[in-house]
Amino acid sequence: MIPVSLVRAMLLGALLITVLVVIPGFTASAQVKPGPDPNQPIDEEYTKKIREYTTEPVFNSPLTDYLPASPNVPTPKAVLGDVAGAPGKLPYAEDVYRYMRMLERASPRVKVYSIGTTEEGREMIAVAVASERLLTKLDENRARLGQLADPRTIKLDDNQADRLVADSFPIYYITGAIHSPETGAPTALMELAYRLAVDESAYIRTIRDNLVTLITPVVEVDGRNRMVDVYNWHLAHPKDNWPSLIYWGHYVAHDNNRDAIGLSLKLTRNILKTYIDWKAQVLHDLHESVPYLYDNTIGDGPYNAWVDPILTDEWQMIGWNNVSELTKFGMPGVFAHGNFDTWSPGYLMFVAATHNGISRLYETFGNAGADTVERTLSPSEYQRTWYRQNPPLPKARWSQRNNNNYEQTGVLTALHYFANNSKLFLKNFYLKSKRSVLKPKNEGPAAYVLPANDPRSGNQADLLRTLQAQGVEINRASAPFTVTVKAGKAATPSPSPTPSPTPGASPSPSPKTAERQFPAGSYIVRMDQPYSRIADALLDYQYWAPNDPQQDIYDDTAWTMGELANVEVVRVTDPRVLAGSMERVTEDVRSPGAVNGSSAVYLINYNADNNLVTLRYRLKDLRIEAAEESFEAAGRKFNRGSFIISKADSAALRHVAGELGIQVYTVDRAPEIKSHAVKAPRIAIMHTWLSTQDEGWWRLAFDQLGVPYSYISTQDAAVDSDLRSKFDVIVFAPVGRDPKAIVLGLPMFGNALPWKTTSLTPNLGKIDSTEDMRPGLGWSGVMNLQKFVQAGGLFITTMDTAEFAVSLGFTSGVSIAKANRLRAIGNILRVKTVDAASPIAYGYDDALAMYCFNGPIFNLSHMAGGRGGRPEREQRATGRGTPDDPDIPQGRPPAEIPEPPKAEVWEAVPLTDEQRRNAVYVIPPAQRPRVVLRYADNKDLFVSGLLDGGDEIAQHAAVIDVPAGAGHVVLFSTNPFWRGQTKGSYSLVFNAIMNFDNLNAGRKLDEK
Ligand SMILES: [Zn+2]
C-alpha cells in the first residue's frame, strides 16, 4: 500500500546515496557501527544510571546506553545532580542554559548564542556544537550558505553552486520544549550536546566533523518554567491532584505551534530569525504526545500545496531512514506515516519548509513530568499497521529516561544520515532556493500586488511587515503600471470567490482577463526571490475538497492573509509586472501619517484600520465624535463613523498620527451631521480557569494595539455584584467549552488546585492567580453578568461564549440551530453587511471575509423564548390540483388564503396578528436583536479552505447586537481574533467597544 510517489522517492534517495558513496570521504562513515570508541573511557557511574532508569533494554540503543567520560567537560549531572532523564528531575530553563554555558567554557566544540527574549523577558538561546575546525569557519561558511540561499548572488550558476557546496557544511537546527507539558527534550538535548562535544566514536565524529548541530533546548521558556513549578508542586504533594498547566506562554498554550503564519509570538520570531540568519538546512522540532517515536513530518496528505516537491522527497528519505535505523536497533514503536496532514504552514517547523529548508517533527512519548509510571495504550496506538510493523507495546513501565533515549537516538541517526549526505542536502538547498527564484518562469505567479490606494493603508502596512519578518523582499512601484489580471478583480475590492466547493454546483465560467492599471506607490511582492514560497503560500487561496480522503483534518484549512486582513491582494501571473520601475523597500513598511492643513477642526476618515483604536486610547482625554452618516469635507469623502475632533492639542495629535500612520484633515467648521461621542471605555477581558488558549489571542491583539483592559476571571465575576461600576465592557472570548462547564467549572472532588506565586511555584500566578482553579462562574456569576448588562454594560461574546449568552437567557429573540452537515473547518467565509448604520459596521464595506470554525447558526425571533426557525414550509394536503395549485373545498366559493409572513434567513419572521393578540412574549421593537452582519448567500459564501454543507449556515446572522435592559450583548458566530491572522475583523470588536453606549445609533425600529 505504499504510494507510488513514495517508492519513487525512496528509489531516488537510494540512487543518490549510491552516487555519493563513490565520493572520497563519504565511503567510510556510511557503514560506521554505533557504539563507544574502544579507546575512550566510559563514565561508569553515569552509564549505570542510564541503564537503571531505562525500564527495558529495548527502550535504549547502542547510541545512548553509555556515556563517554571526559576529564574536563562536565556531564548534565553537574547541573541536574543526576543523569538526564532521571526520575524526579525537571530543570528550569535557566538550569539548562547554565549547563550549556558550562559546556561552552569547557569545550572548544560548543558555542552558546543568545537569540532574544520571551514576552516575560526570559532569555532564549541557541547552542552550536561541531568540531573546532567547523566552528572556526562559521562566518565564511555562513557567507557561502548565504550564496546558496540566494542563487541570484551567483547568477543561478550551477557550477559555482557545486563549488560552494563542496566547500560548505550544513546547519541542522533542533528545537525542544515548545509544548510545555512535553517535558523531556531539555534534558535530552543537554546530553546530546555533551555527546556531540565529547564522544570520540566514529559515529559521533562523522556528525561533528561534517555539520553544525544547532540546539534551542527550550522554545517556550515562560511555559517551561511554569511547567517545572507544577511538577515541583506535584512532587511536594504526592498524594494530591495537581493543577493543570492553564497558562503555557504568556498568551497561548498549544497554539504557540500555530504562529508561523501570523508571527505574533516572540518565540516564533526568534526561531525564525535564527533559522534565517544561520541559513540552516533543517528545523527539527521535538514533541512528545505519541508512543514511542512518530516522525510526523511524513505524516499524511494533503501536503501543503506550495512547498517544493524536492522537500517532500527529503521528508521521505530522512524519515524512513530514521525508522529503519531505530528498527534495526530493536526499538519498538518507531514509525513515520500517521494522522498529520502537513497542510497548514502555521507550525514552527514549517519555517524551514517555506524557506527552502527541511521541516521535521518528532512525537516521542512523554509522561508530562519526570515520574516513571505504567502506561497503558489504546488499540489504535499499539495495533500493527502497514506503516508501523513494530508497534509500541500495549502496556509498559515508562520513564523520562526512555523518552530521552528515543529522542536522542532518533536525532543522532538523523544527524548521522544528514552528515553522510551533507553534499546532497546542500545541493538540494541550493536547488530549492533556485526554483523559488524561478517561480515566475515555472509555476507562477509572477508577483502579488497590493495597490497603493487601498482604503486600509494601516492594515496593508501591517500585512507587509509580517511578510518582511518572514524574510520576504517588498518592492514599491515608482510609476503606474498596467498588467493583465483576472477579470472582475478591478471592480471589487475583494477577489471574487474561487470555485464553489458545493458538490454539483456548476463550475464557474472560465476566467477571463482584463488590463488593470495600478498606481505608483503600489507594493509588489516579486516571486523571483529566494523566499517567494512563503509569500505565495500566505497570500494565495486554499481549496480543500470536501471529498478529500483526509477526513481527520489536523488544523485550519485556510489562512489567506489578504482576505483576513481586509486588504486587497492581487495575484498577477503576467510577467510584465516584474518589468515596471520599482524600488526595494529597505525599512519596515509604514503607512504614512500626517495632519493635512491647519484649520481648527480635525477629521479622520474611519476605515476600520486597527491603528484608529490605538489612537483613541493613546489620546484618552481627547474628545472625539463619530459621524453617524457619511459626509464630504476638505474635498474628500468621509465614511460613517469618521472621527470629528473640534478641539485638540495639535502637536500631540500630529505626533500620534505620524507614529500610527493616520491621515488627518482639517476644516474650519465641524460638518453639520449627527454624531456621538467615541469613548475610551473601561474594558475587562474575562477568562475561565478551564482553558485560556483561545482568549490569549484576544489579549495579545489588545496588548499589541495598546488597548488597555483589566484581566478578570469568571471567579471574579462570581463574587462581584457591581461589575458595572468598574467596567463598561466585558469581553468573553471563546473558551472551547459548553455553557454548563463555564458555570460549573472543574469538578469539586479532591483537593484544591492552587495557581499562585509561592516559593515552591515562583512562576505561577502573575498573569492571574487563584487559591483554587476548580470553581467556575457559578449561578451568582451569571446573575452578576446579567446585572452588568441590564445596567448599561456591553457584553461581547463569540462562538461558544455566544452560545453561553444565548442559552442562559442574555439575548431575547436569538436561538441556535443544530448543524447536521456543516463542515467549516478553520476556513474563511464571506459575510455581508446587513445594517451599515450600526456602529459595529463603521469603516467596513459591503462584504468582509472572516475566520469561521463551525460557528453557531443563529436564528432570530420577535418572540421571547421563540425558537426563531422559519416555520417549516407546510406540505399541502391531499386534494385537487398540483403542488402549487392548492386544494379547493367543494360546494362553496373558494376562500382567499392569507400570505404567510416572509422574512430573509437572517431576519426574524414578522409577527402575525394572532401572536400580537396577547403580547406577553412579544419583544418590544427597541429590544429586538439587530443583525449587523450575516453570512453570504450560499453561492458567495466560500472564500478559502474547506466548506461543506454551507447551505446550513449561509445567510444566517453572523454578528448580532442584542439590546438588553440599558446595555447590549454582542454575539459573534465567526471568530474576529484568531492567531494574529484576522486583523481585518478586529475593528468589529473595537467598534463595539468605542461605541458601547451608542450602539443604537442609526437603528431603524420595526413599526410593530
Ligand atoms: Zn507538541
Side-chain angles (χ1 to χ4, degrees), residues 876-930:
R876 60 151 293 185
T878 306
R880 71 149 290 280
T882 57
D884 56 356
D885 182 15
D887 192 26
I888 295 171
Q890 303 298 301
R892 68 177 214 208
E896 196 187 327
I897 295 170
E899 263 309 296
K902 281 206 183 80
E904 300 287 357
V905 172
W906 60 90
E907 296 172 333
V909 177
L911 293 165
T912 63
D913 291 342
E914 292 291 320
Q915 286 170 320
R916 272 199 302 269
R917 279 181 62 205
N918 181 10
V920 172
Y921 283 93
V922 171
I923 305 170
Q927 293 285 313
R928 288 178 191 165
R930 178 186 192 184

Side-chain angles (χ1 to χ4, degrees), residues 177-182 248 254 256-258 285-289 361-363 554:
I178 185 175
H179 281 166
S180 307
E182 301 165 16
W248 299 16
H254 192 268
N256 61 9
N257 195 30
R258 301 294 186 277
D285 198 24
L286 301 180
H287 291 251
E288 300 164 24
S289 67
L361 194 149
Y362 281 172
E363 296 283 4
Y554 205 84

